[in-house]
């Protein structure tokens, strides 16, 4: 048993990819489903939690980005005119920045508290002490994301119940919040070992896990659980577009796994494509998160609809095992069997 679930396997929260259906499938199969709530309004968070609760009677996690939006500190025009060229190719109106580029973390967290979620996980920082104390007193288990031992220690000092060790292989945004991301790329195996040797908190290993054998290895090394994202993207329950699923499953021979700021303004891992190559030639124009994310949103949405993978954020972890496409419950059971759990 791990946090009330039969198996120590957590479905990673996946912004823009995860769904209530995917989380429900994993929780019902005996794991812990996660809802990625970072991009959702407080009302939508409450709605999804209620919907998930109507489908499961088991533990689940809800995840947020623990950070506040800072006012834009530079002229967005150079980036917007760069993006306008791609907009033209897709027949879109020129890009514009919204007034509010992201939801407000404290308001989202209030929705989680109100809903008394069983598990709250977060990344990109550490919430203020009062908020963590509120979760604690409402009986919620709290897990924070670390990409280095120093971050794990900072999280321990903040009073979290568990550390999600996000290895360098992990797909999408780097959780790094203390140092430069280039200095915080520790392979998952090493990171788990470092944290286990220094802290007594449960560690959840994450990054590049696609096969049950890797689950067994991390558990052998003392991880309390694993958190898996990319392996579930091809599932029919994920909301990833077909072109995204195809790209990460087949991978053009030249498609490299890279970490880029081009889509969101924060480092994130995915497959390289034309958008990344062209934007990175003008790296000085990239806006800070979440402004860059807001600036590229219309293009990404249109590219998904038009099947144009060259403009899509193809977030995926780095892993040797080919991805498998099957219903989430079957994939979960396959992983459990391979891991010998
Ligand atoms: C498409 C995608 C979206 C993600 N979104 C989030 C998120 O919203 N919050 C978060 O804490 N982690 C997010 N992650 C990172 C995962 O928590 C985890 O670190 C990663 O999936 C592990 O590597 P793997 O994808 O190789 O399994 C995301 C990962 C992917 C692939």
């Amino acid at each position: 048993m791990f946090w009330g679930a039969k198996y120590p396997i957590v479905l990673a929260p996946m912004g823009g990819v995860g769904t209530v259906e995917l989380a429900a499938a994993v929780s019902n199969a005996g794991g812990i489903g996660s809802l990625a709530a970072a991009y959702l309004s407080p009302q939508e968070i409450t709605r999804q939690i209620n919907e998930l609760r109507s489908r499961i009677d088991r533990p689940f996690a809800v995840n947020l980005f623990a950070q506040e939006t800072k006012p834009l500190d530079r002229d967005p025009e150079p980036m917007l005119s760069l993006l306008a060229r791609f907009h033209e190719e897709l027949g879109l109106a020129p890009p514009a920045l919204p007034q509010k580029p992201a939801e407000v973390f404290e308001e989202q967290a209030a929705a989680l508290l109100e809903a008394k979620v069983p598990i709250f996980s977060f990344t990109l920082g550490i919430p203020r002490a009062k908020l963590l104390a509120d979760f604690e007193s409402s009986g919620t288990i709290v897990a924070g994301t670390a990409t280095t031992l120093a971050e794990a220690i900072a999280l321990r000092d903040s009073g979290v119940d568990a550390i999600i060790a996000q290895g360098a292989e992990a797909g999408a945004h780097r959780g790094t919040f203390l140092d430069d991301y280039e200095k915080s790329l520790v392979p998952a195996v090493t990171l788990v070992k470092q944290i286990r040797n220094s802290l007594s908190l449960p560690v959840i290993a994450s990054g590049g896990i696609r096969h049950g054998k890797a689950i067994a290895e991390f558990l052998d090394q003392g991880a309390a659980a694993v958190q898996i994202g990319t392996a579930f993207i091809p599932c029919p329950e994920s909301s990833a577009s077909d072109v995204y699923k195809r790209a990460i499953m087949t991978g053009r021979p030249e498609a490299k796994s890279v970490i880029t700021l081009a889509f969101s303004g924060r480092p994130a891992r995915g497959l390289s494509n034309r958008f990344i190559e062209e934007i990175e030639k003008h790296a000085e124009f990239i806006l800070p998160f979440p402004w860059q994310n807001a600036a590229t949103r219309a293009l990404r949405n249109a590219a998904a609809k038009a099947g144009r993978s060259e403009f899509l954020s193809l977030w995926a972890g780095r892993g040797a095992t080919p991805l498998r496409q099957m219903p989430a419950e079957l994939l979960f059971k396959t992983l459990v069997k391979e891991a010998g759990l």
Side-chain angles (χ1 to χ4, degrees):
M1 287 289 267
F2 175 71
W3 286 346
K6 187 168 179 200
Y7 301 110
I9 302 174
V10 181
L11 166 73
M14 290 190 282
V17 167
T19 59
V20 171
E21 290 74 17
L22 187 58
V26 168
S27 282
N28 277 330
I32 293 176
S34 300
L35 290 178
Y39 299 132
L40 307 181
S41 67
Q43 295 74 21
E44 179 61 13
I45 291 173
T46 307
R47 195 194 67 74
Q48 291 201 9
I49 290 170
N50 289 340
E51 201 190 322
L52 182 59
R53 279 194 160 126
S54 74
R55 289 166 182 252
I56 65 172
D57 188 14
R58 295 167 185 238
F60 64 91
V62 185
N63 175 272
L64 291 176
F65 289 172
Q67 62 152 36
E68 282 159 29
T69 300
K70 297 204 180 76
L72 188 57
D73 59 356
R74 75 188 72 162
D75 180 8
E77 272 319 308
M79 177 49 65
L80 292 178
S81 50
L82 197 56
L83 292 172
R85 299 211 307 251
F86 303 133
H87 276 232
E88 240 178 74
E89 270 191 54
L90 285 176
L92 295 175
L97 279 180
Q99 287 281 332
K100 186 181 167 192
E103 298 294 332
V104 178
F105 169 68
E106 294 278 337
E107 294 172 8
Q108 295 172 311
L112 265 58
L113 273 171
E114 173 82 26
K116 292 199 181 305
V117 295
I119 303 157
F120 165 46
S121 74
F122 62 86
T123 185
L124 310 190
I126 303 182
R128 64 195 168 84
K130 166 77 169 69
L131 187 63
L132 291 179
D134 288 347
F135 275 108
E136 176 112 349
S137 51
S138 73
T140 295
I141 295 168
V142 176
T145 306
T147 60
T148 59
L149 177 59
E151 289 173 353
I153 291 169
L155 285 163
R156 189 267 321 266
D157 293 347
S158 77
V160 300
D161 300 300
I163 310 273
I164 299 163
Q166 188 190 43
E169 305 88 342
H173 286 109
R174 306 290 311 142
T176 303
F177 60 93
L178 283 185
D179 209 336
D180 295 339
Y181 83 88
E182 294 98 330
K183 293 185 195 149
S184 309
L185 290 168
V186 187
V189 171
T190 312
L191 186 58
V192 168
K193 216 174 276 170
Q194 288 174 347
I195 300 174
R196 284 276 302 152
N197 286 342
S198 307
L199 310 181
S200 54
L201 285 179
V203 179
I204 301 168
S206 187
I209 302 170
R210 298 174 169 199
H211 192 280
K213 199 163 156 273
I215 299 175
E217 283 164 7
F218 277 111
L219 297 177
D220 274 355
Q221 282 157 18
V226 296
Q227 177 162 296
I228 304 178
T230 302
F232 285 94
I233 298 179
C235 295
E237 294 89 345
S238 104
S239 63
S241 61
D242 288 343
V243 62
Y244 177 6
K245 289 181 181 179
R246 236 186 348 261
I248 65 164
M249 287 184 69
T250 55
R252 292 172 298 134
E254 70 276 23
K256 302 190 302 265
S257 176
V258 294
I259 297 181
T260 184
L261 282 80
F263 283 105
S264 75
R266 272 200 70 101
R269 180 181 290 287
L271 291 188
S272 183
N273 61 7
R274 183 180 146 209
F275 181 85
I276 295 175
E277 282 162 21
E278 296 201 16
I279 294 290
E280 285 187 349
K281 284 183 200 149
H282 307 277
E284 69 281 12
F285 297 159
I286 296 176
L287 306 175
F289 184 89
W291 296 96
Q292 182 75 7
N293 202 45
T296 65
R297 185 169 290 129
L299 180 70
R300 288 181 281 121
N301 289 342
K305 285 202 188 102
R308 301 279 296 264
S309 66
E310 70 266 42
F311 297 131
L312 269 184
S313 46
L314 302 170
W315 302 140
R318 209 174 48 195
T321 310
L323 292 167
R324 299 171 277 193
Q325 189 161 46
M326 55 178 97
E329 184 191 354
L330 183 58
L331 176 61
F332 189 90
K333 285 184 172 159
T334 305
L335 291 169
V336 165
K337 198 164 165 218
E338 289 166 349
L341 295 175

